[in-house]
Amino acid sequence: MKLKNLKLEINQHVAVITFNRPDQLNALNLETLAELKQLLEKIEKDAVLRCIVLTGAGKAFVAGADIKAMSEMNPKQAKAFAETGQALFSYMEQMPQPIIACINGFALGGGCELACACDLRTASTKIKIGEPEVNLGIVPGFAGSVRLPRLIGLSQAKKMILTGEPLSALEAEEIGLIHWIYKPEELLPNTLKIAERLAAKSLTALATIKHQLRKSLELEFTEAEKFEAETFSKCFTTPDQKEGMNAFLEKRKPKFEGLD
Ligand code: HXC
C-alpha cells in the first residue's frame, strides 16, 4: 500500500504508524483519515501484528484537524468530516490489537481526541495536550466531548474543553490522561518496550478486554456483569486459556497463539 501522509514501520509484532505531515504539524485532513483507515484495516487482518503504536513526525503528535480544510467547509461538510473521524476512532477501539498513542509533541483538538481513542498513552516531557476548539469558535467534533469525560471525569473534561488551555505532560499524567512520561529521546524506545510486552500476551484476551471495557461503559451495572461472565466463560473455549494456565502450572512462560 502506497502511503502519502503516514509512514509504517514493522518491528517484529508491532506496527508503528507515524503521522508524516510535519510542515502542517500532522494536522488531520480527510485524506489522512482515509489513509489511516485503510492501513488499520490491513493491520487488523495481519496475524503477525499484535500491537500498534501511533506517533508523529517532527514537533507534533497531531496538532488537530486541518484548520485550513475546515475553514472552507459548510455545515453539511463539517458534519460529514466529524462523522468520518468519529467512525475511524470507534473502529480503532473495536480493533483486536491494543493501540498506544506515543505522544511526541502537540496533541491538540483532533490530535487529543485521537489519543483518547487509543488504549494507552505515553508522552514525552515536552508535550502539550488540549482541546483548543473553543478558541476557533467551534467545539470538539471527533468525540472529544464523549471520550474525555469518560476517561478523566466530567470536571476535568469541562476544564480542558471550556478553557481550551493545553496541559503539560505532568498535568495530564496527574489526571490520568497520560499513562507514562519519558524524556523525548527515550519516548519511542520505551513505548516500543511496552508494545512488545503487550504483543507477547494472548491477543484473544487483549481483544476481549478491549471489548469488555467498552461495553461496560454502555451497559447498566448488572447487564455489564452478565456480559463479563459471558466473555470470561468464552475464554475457556480458547487454546490461549489452556496454554496460559498450563504454563503457570508448569512454571514456564506461556506461548500464546500466533507467536513464534
Ligand atoms: C492546519 C496547522 C494546524 C492545524 C498548525 N498548522 N496546526 N495547519 N491545521 N491544526 C500549521 C501552521 O499553520 C503552520 O503552517 C505550521 O503548521 C506550523 O505551525 P506554527 O503555528 O507556525 O507553529 P508554532 O508557532 O510552533 O505553534 C504550534 C501550535 C499552533 C501552538 C500547535 O500551530 C496552533 O495553535 N495550531 C492550531 C492548534 C489547534 O487549534 N488545533 C485544534 C484544531 S480544531 P505555515 O504554512 O504557516 O507554516 C480541531 C477540531 C477537531 O482539531 C474536530 C474536527 C471534526
Side-chain angles (χ1 to χ4, degrees):
M1 181 183 163
K2 202 169 173 312
L3 296 173
K4 189 176 157 205
N5 300 318
L6 303 173
K7 215 170 68 187
L8 172 69
E9 280 163 290
I10 306 292
N11 235 300
Q12 292 195 2
H13 293 289
V14 179
V16 181
I17 300 173
T18 305
F19 291 91
N20 198 22
R21 292 209 307 151
D23 291 347
Q24 289 82 31
L25 305 191
N26 306 321
L28 297 174
N29 54 14
L30 273 172
E31 192 183 49
T32 309
L33 295 176
E35 206 174 298
L36 181 59
K37 178 79 196 294
Q38 251 191 311
L39 183 55
L40 290 175
E41 280 172 349
K42 267 192 88 181
I43 291 173
E44 177 170 5
K45 292 193 202 96
D46 190 329
V48 173
L49 299 175
R50 304 168 68 89
C51 187
I52 300 164
V53 171
L54 296 185
T55 193
K59 67 179 177 182
F61 172 67
V62 167
D66 191 319
I67 299 172
K68 189 165 182 301
M70 285 190 295
S71 70
E72 287 155 16
M73 286 178 188
N74 62 35
K76 198 169 161 211
Q77 290 165 327
K79 186 164 183 242
F81 184 49
E83 286 169 350
T84 303
Q86 289 173 354
L88 171 61
F89 295 179
S90 275
Y91 169 74
M92 284 167 45
E93 279 187 339
Q94 285 161 38
M95 284 182 76
Q97 293 100 332
I99 306 180
I100 307 176
C102 174
I103 307 171
N104 53 299
F106 295 110
L108 301 173
C112 172
E113 295 171 301
L114 171 72
C116 288
C118 295
D119 301 297
L120 295 166
R121 283 162 289 281
T122 60
S124 97
T125 46
K126 294 272 167 66
I127 70 155
K128 287 280 172 208
I129 184 163
E131 288 281 83
E133 284 92 340
V134 69
N135 299 327
L136 298 168
I138 59 169
V139 300
F142 288 157
S145 68
V146 187
R147 282 198 184 87
L148 263 179
R150 284 166 166 77
L151 285 179
I152 58 173
L154 184 61
S155 179
Q156 294 292 350
K158 273 202 176 173
K159 183 180 166 204
M160 283 180 73
I161 299 173
L162 286 173
T163 67
E165 287 163 13
L167 306 179
S168 67
L170 267 180
E171 288 167 332
E173 190 197 33
E174 264 169 24
I175 60 169
L177 185 55
I178 298 294
H179 297 101
W180 295 273
I181 305 178
Y182 301 106
K183 288 184 194 148
E185 65 279 13
E186 291 169 8
L187 174 66
L188 187 59
N190 279 306
T191 306
L192 286 176
K193 280 186 198 154
I194 297 168
E196 280 156 20
R197 292 208 297 275
L198 288 171
K201 297 187 192 298
S202 158
L203 185 56
T204 313
L206 290 173
T208 308
I209 292 163
K210 282 183 66 161
H211 190 43
Q212 256 185 350
L213 290 173
R214 189 175 150 111
K215 264 294 210 224
S216 82
L217 291 179
E218 289 167 10
L219 297 173
E220 179 272 319
F221 194 92
T222 48
E223 289 305 310
E225 279 187 327
K226 278 187 207 156
F227 182 75
E228 188 191 67
E230 259 170 49
T231 48
F232 179 74
S233 93
K234 271 198 198 131
C235 293
F236 288 75
T237 64
T238 68
D240 279 355
Q241 175 265 332
K242 308 266 174 304
E243 171 61 11
M245 294 194 177
N246 285 338
F248 176 81
L249 296 172
E250 291 161 14
K251 300 190 188 303
R252 61 175 173 82
K253 266 193 171 176
K255 191 171 162 284
F256 291 116
E257 289 235 295
L259 287 171
D260 14 83

